[in-house]
Amino acid sequence: MNIGNSDLKEIAKVIKGASKIALFPHVNMDGDAFGSCVALAHALRELGKECRIFISEEVPENLSFLDPEKILQTNNKDDIKDYSLAVMVDCGEMKRIPGREEVFDSFSSTLCIDHHGTTESCCQFNYIDPMAAATGQIVFDLINELILMEGKEPSKEAKKEIANAIFAAITTDTGNYQYSNTQKESHEITARLYDWGLEGNKVSVEIYESNRIERIRLTAEVLSKVEILAEGKVALAYCSQEMLNTTGAKMEETERIAGDLRGIRGVEVAIFLKEEGEKAIKCSLRSKAYYDVAKLATEFGGGGHIRAAGYTTYKDLKEAIEEIKERVQKDF
Amino acid sequence: MNIGNSDLKEIAKVIKGASKIALFPHVNMDGDAFGSCVALAHALRELGKECRIFISEEVPENLSFLDPEKILQTNNKDDIKDYSLAVMVDCGEMKRIPGREEVFDSFSSTLCIDHHGTTESCCQFNYIDPMAAATGQIVFDLINELILMEGKEPSKEAKKEIANAIFAAITTDTGNYQYSNTQKESHEITARLYDWGLEGNKVSVEIYESNRIERIRLTAEVLSKVEILAEGKVALAYCSQEMLNTTGAKMEETERIAGDLRGIRGVEVAIFLKEEGEKAIKCSLRSKAYYDVAKLATEFGGGGHIRAAGYTTYKDLKEAIEEIKERVQKDF
């Protein structure tokens, strides 16, 4: 269900007509944003085009295997200064490419490929399918359209790289085919990726099975202190600087803990507080089925989505814990 | 690749010829064993047959949604005393159905549907495909063969139940489509399940997001004691009866820990020992990329797959730990 102003054929034609193409994934790149870009970049290079993924941050460690030699990516705008087409990938708003807006704006021809329902056509050509579980699925269809149009198949090696990148995009955005956005097409496309040489296990190991032992020890430490409140409806945990010191882990290695808390039976709201140091406490909120955590976060000056939100507060960890405990229990 | 003595058509014919059929999943039922049985039971009932899943233990809590009213299962052998066909599901050895061997042996007609490479044809009719990622995939093919043969489709409601059960089988045995056993067919079949009414997210929440808090506490306790051996290539952990007592968790709630251990960066072999009581220690073995744990398990009288295997030993927990530590370190 495309809500953009261009169909896939038109998008493919625009790309076919360009010889130097820059891809703009959204900031805080995830598997879908980066995977989609990597797949598209490989495909375009196989068609004889120049293509670079223009970024302003480091690629997350568990996704760096998709471009290990950093041949597809650049953070230097001079590398793309004579490029003619700019493509927003997995986003469709200027604020999702902070620090790169000016470069994007300097392009005469712009294109958007996205699956976010909140995206409005902000480019010259836009293909936005909010029903697609991942932008990677759209990109795979697009690559196939381009192959048909050009009458030229990518090399075997490139096909494998494309398959691995598309799989990375789909598996991360569907939460391993578990989330409610997962669709028949997610599995149909993944099945086809096997014909392209997909190394599904290798990709999964890189993304999900490369946890440092320090992360495991920190997770154990945090989970050993989970508090259950509101007759089982609320789960609360925290990570202090001392816990990081004891285990040798980094704060970013707690990223999946809020989800673990929500995964407790009967829990509707998961609260996870991170002591970032200097009295800055970041609080992540998750809900399972009906509670609006965005609203709760807003009360503390934060924001987010109904099921995933957060805020920052400048208090002692202990005070911050008491504050949110007291507040959330009023709602249950 | 069927290594049994009967092809799928023959298996379907045997089932077609029976009117009362008992299913025997392996002990320590997992999603594949129980899911495959539930799907098959629904399909056979739709074809007008009597069918019961004969078990000797409680269905794991996170799988109980597949048969919430317990209409498909029984632990009373009198319920199946006039049944004519016994089917081993997801196993093919008498020792995998302890306490039920005698009942199984009393059947004149026996059948095995399995995907374990170590299974040898132990029934009259055997369909064993070690390439199938899950027995659920074979069962889905079998159900379709039966539908073709009988010329009768299951009801819409039954189709949904079958789809959910097959999905439960595949998603658990492939580790959410991440493990190396995952194949093109796993995704192809899952895609087809959507046409049957699959509720993928609902099943995933039941299986993966309904963890008891006791499970979280036990996981934390077990992971806090992980040992790293062989210069990071081996991770070892254990669960004692005392740990269960302290946390209030059940042994079955440790099922994902072996996977967590394998998910540690650099770890090739994960070893997880469970003190089942009375000096029986169950040891789960997992490998990431190249080590054959089935071979290792066989040395201790067990078996399984190359990447996931196990054995039982009758020793003190401490002795069992020392024994496997000593053995595995020889290979690194």
Side-chain angles (χ1 to χ4, degrees):
Chain A
M1 194 193 65
N2 176 23
I3 58 168
N5 62 349
S6 307
D7 65 18
L8 208 61
K9 269 203 167 50
E10 190 174 1
I11 296 285
K13 265 185 209 156
V14 172
I15 288 175
K16 190 173 187 278
S19 62
K20 297 182 178 186
I21 301 166
L23 309 180
F24 289 69
H26 63 71
V27 70
N28 297 323
M29 271 180 287
D30 55 15
D32 194 20
F34 192 58
S36 295
C37 283
V38 167
L40 194 51
H42 276 298
L44 297 184
R45 285 172 171 224
E46 285 292 302
L47 294 173
K49 296 174 191 306
E50 262 188 49
C51 181
R52 284 291 188 94
I53 307 166
F54 183 52
I55 55 178
S56 57
E57 59 187 332
E58 280 287 308
V59 172
E61 216 172 310
N62 69 340
L63 297 172
S64 61
F65 73 98
L66 290 172
D67 185 26
E69 310 293 333
K70 302 189 178 191
I71 49 166
L72 304 175
Q73 62 193 264
T74 180
N75 52 20
N76 182 354
K77 65 180 180 188
D78 290 339
D79 284 343
I80 57 167
K81 68 170 184 283
D82 61 339
Y83 280 30
S84 59
L85 175 64
V87 188
M88 271 197 196
V89 179
D90 199 33
C91 60
E93 286 172 289
M94 282 309 211
K95 68 175 184 196
R96 298 285 285 143
I97 54 167
R100 291 169 290 161
E101 305 100 315
E102 214 175 303
V103 179
F104 190 86
D105 255 345
S106 71
F107 278 80
S108 56
S109 187
T110 62
L111 197 152
C112 163
I113 304 167
D114 192 19
H115 73 132
H116 290 92
T118 47
T119 289
E120 288 172 30
S121 297
C122 75
C123 295
Q124 206 178 342
F125 305 96
N126 304 271
Y127 187 89
I128 305 151
D129 180 0
M131 298 302 289
T135 294
Q137 295 181 190
I138 305 171
V139 167
F140 187 66
D141 286 342
L142 175 62
I143 290 172
N144 280 285
E145 187 66 41
L146 282 165
I147 291 173
L148 263 181
M149 217 172 248
E150 300 270 7
K152 186 176 172 245
E153 290 268 332
S155 68
K156 200 178 157 188
E157 189 52 35
K159 277 191 150 182
K160 192 183 77 185
E161 299 291 341
I162 291 168
N164 287 347
I166 297 286
F167 178 70
I170 299 176
T171 188
T172 51
D173 249 32
T174 60
N176 303 310
Y177 306 89
Q178 282 180 43
Y179 297 162
S180 55
N181 63 341
T182 314
Q183 20 160 216
K184 187 183 179 186
E185 287 73 17
S186 315
H187 288 282
E188 280 178 334
I189 289 175
T190 308
R192 288 169 64 197
L193 296 179
Y194 279 85
D195 298 331
W196 286 52
L198 173 63
E199 301 163 308
N201 178 243
K202 195 186 119 183
V203 174
S204 299
V205 167
E206 292 282 358
I207 295 180
Y208 304 111
E209 297 207 13
S210 302
N211 300 314
R212 298 194 313 145
I213 180 66
E214 291 83 355
R215 178 190 198 128
I216 303 292
R217 299 205 196 284
L218 178 65
T219 304
E221 176 71 6
V222 170
L223 292 183
S224 73
K225 297 188 165 58
V226 175
E227 249 190 286
I228 300 294
L229 310 164
E231 290 172 331
K233 294 218 167 41
V234 176
L236 181 145
Y238 62 88
C239 178
S240 64
Q241 285 294 318
E242 199 199 328
M243 286 155 116
L244 296 184
N245 291 339
T246 314
T247 57
K250 302 175 205 164
M251 193 59 91
E252 67 192 56
E253 291 177 307
T254 63
E255 61 175 355
R256 289 202 284 272
I257 292 181
D260 291 341
L261 298 178
R262 186 176 61 182
I264 298 171
R265 182 177 303 176
V267 164
E268 174 58 25
V269 179
I271 302 170
F272 181 56
L273 299 107
K274 294 175 284 188
E275 185 184 33
E276 298 280 355
E278 296 298 312
K279 283 201 172 192
I281 308 291
K282 279 199 178 159
C283 180
S284 299
L285 302 165
R286 299 283 181 277
S287 64
K288 198 181 265 170
Y290 57 86
Y291 188 90
D292 186 346
V293 289
K295 208 174 137 217
L296 181 62
T298 310
E299 286 181 32
F300 293 93
H305 306 283
I306 301 177
R307 300 276 167 266
Y311 64 90
T312 303
T313 183
Y314 300 90
K315 288 196 163 66
D316 274 342
L317 179 58
K318 216 174 157 183
E319 283 176 85
I321 292 172
E322 288 313 314
E323 180 183 58
I324 185 68
K325 265 166 81 165
E326 199 178 307
R327 172 61 193 85
V328 76
Q329 288 187 101
K330 282 184 190 158
D331 289 344
F332 288 96
Chain B
M1 191 194 68
N2 175 24
I3 57 167
N5 61 351
S6 308
D7 64 18
L8 208 61
K9 269 202 166 53
E10 188 174 3
I11 295 286
K13 265 187 209 156
V14 172
I15 288 175
K16 190 173 186 277
S19 61
K20 298 183 176 186
I21 301 167
L23 309 180
F24 290 67
H26 63 70
V27 70
N28 299 321
M29 271 180 287
D30 55 16
D32 193 21
F34 192 58
S36 294
C37 283
V38 167
L40 194 52
H42 276 297
L44 297 184
R45 285 171 171 224
E46 285 290 302
L47 293 173
K49 297 175 190 303
E50 261 188 50
C51 181
R52 284 291 189 92
I53 306 167
F54 182 53
I55 54 178
S56 56
E57 60 188 332
E58 280 286 306
V59 173
E61 229 169 305
N62 70 338
L63 297 172
S64 62
F65 73 98
L66 290 172
D67 184 25
E69 311 293 335
K70 301 189 179 191
I71 49 168
L72 304 175
Q73 63 193 263
T74 181
N75 52 20
N76 182 353
K77 64 181 182 190
D78 290 340
D79 284 343
I80 57 167
K81 67 170 184 282
D82 62 340
Y83 280 30
S84 59
L85 175 64
V87 187
M88 272 196 196
V89 179
D90 199 32
C91 60
E93 286 172 289
M94 282 309 213
K95 68 177 183 192
R96 296 287 284 144
I97 54 167
R100 290 170 291 160
E101 305 100 314
E102 213 174 305
V103 178
F104 190 87
D105 255 344
S106 72
F107 278 79
S108 56
S109 188
T110 61
L111 197 151
C112 162
I113 304 167
D114 191 20
H115 74 131
H116 291 91
T118 47
T119 288
E120 287 173 30
S121 297
C122 75
C123 294
Q124 206 177 343
F125 305 95
N126 304 272
Y127 188 89
I128 305 151
D129 180 0
M131 297 303 288
T135 294
Q137 296 182 188
I138 304 171
V139 167
F140 187 67
D141 286 342
L142 174 63
I143 290 172
N144 279 287
E145 186 67 40
L146 282 164
I147 290 172
L148 263 182
M149 217 172 248
E150 300 270 5
K152 189 176 169 245
E153 289 268 330
S155 68
K156 200 178 156 187
E157 189 52 36
K159 277 190 151 184
K160 192 182 76 184
E161 299 290 343
I162 291 168
N164 287 346
I166 297 286
F167 179 70
I170 299 176
T171 188
T172 52
D173 249 33
T174 61
N176 302 309
Y177 306 89
Q178 283 179 43
Y179 297 162
S180 57
N181 63 341
T182 314
Q183 19 161 216
K184 187 182 179 186
E185 287 73 19
S186 315
H187 288 283
E188 280 178 335
I189 288 176
T190 308
R192 288 168 64 196
L193 296 178
Y194 279 86
D195 298 332
W196 286 51
L198 173 62
E199 302 163 308
N201 179 242
K202 196 187 119 182
V203 174
S204 298
V205 167
E206 291 281 0
I207 295 180
Y208 303 112
E209 293 210 16
S210 303
N211 301 313
R212 299 195 313 145
I213 180 66
E214 291 83 354
R215 179 191 197 126
I216 303 291
R217 299 204 197 285
L218 177 65
T219 304
E221 176 71 8
V222 170
L223 292 183
S224 73
K225 297 189 164 59
V226 175
E227 247 190 288
I228 300 293
L229 309 164
E231 290 174 332
K233 294 220 166 42
V234 175
L236 182 145
Y238 62 88
C239 178
S240 64
Q241 285 294 319
E242 198 198 330
M243 286 156 114
L244 296 184
N245 292 339
T246 315
T247 57
K250 302 175 205 164
M251 193 56 92
E252 69 190 53
E253 292 176 308
T254 63
E255 61 174 353
R256 289 201 286 272
I257 292 181
D260 291 341
L261 297 178
R262 189 175 57 181
I264 299 170
R265 182 178 303 174
V267 164
E268 172 59 25
V269 178
I271 302 170
F272 182 56
L273 298 107
K274 295 175 282 188
E275 185 184 34
E276 299 280 356
E278 296 298 314
K279 284 200 170 191
I281 308 291
K282 281 201 175 156
C283 180
S284 299
L285 301 165
R286 300 283 181 276
S287 65
K288 198 179 266 171
Y290 58 85
Y291 189 90
D292 184 347
V293 288
K295 210 176 136 216
L296 182 62
T298 310
E299 286 181 32
F300 292 92
H305 307 284
I306 300 178
R307 300 275 167 267
Y311 64 88
T312 302
T313 183
Y314 299 90
K315 289 199 163 66
D316 275 342
L317 179 58
K318 217 174 154 183
E319 283 176 86
I321 292 173
E322 288 312 315
E323 180 183 57
I324 186 68
K325 264 167 82 166
E326 199 178 307
R327 171 62 193 84
V328 76
Q329 288 188 99
K330 281 185 192 158
D331 288 344
F332 289 94

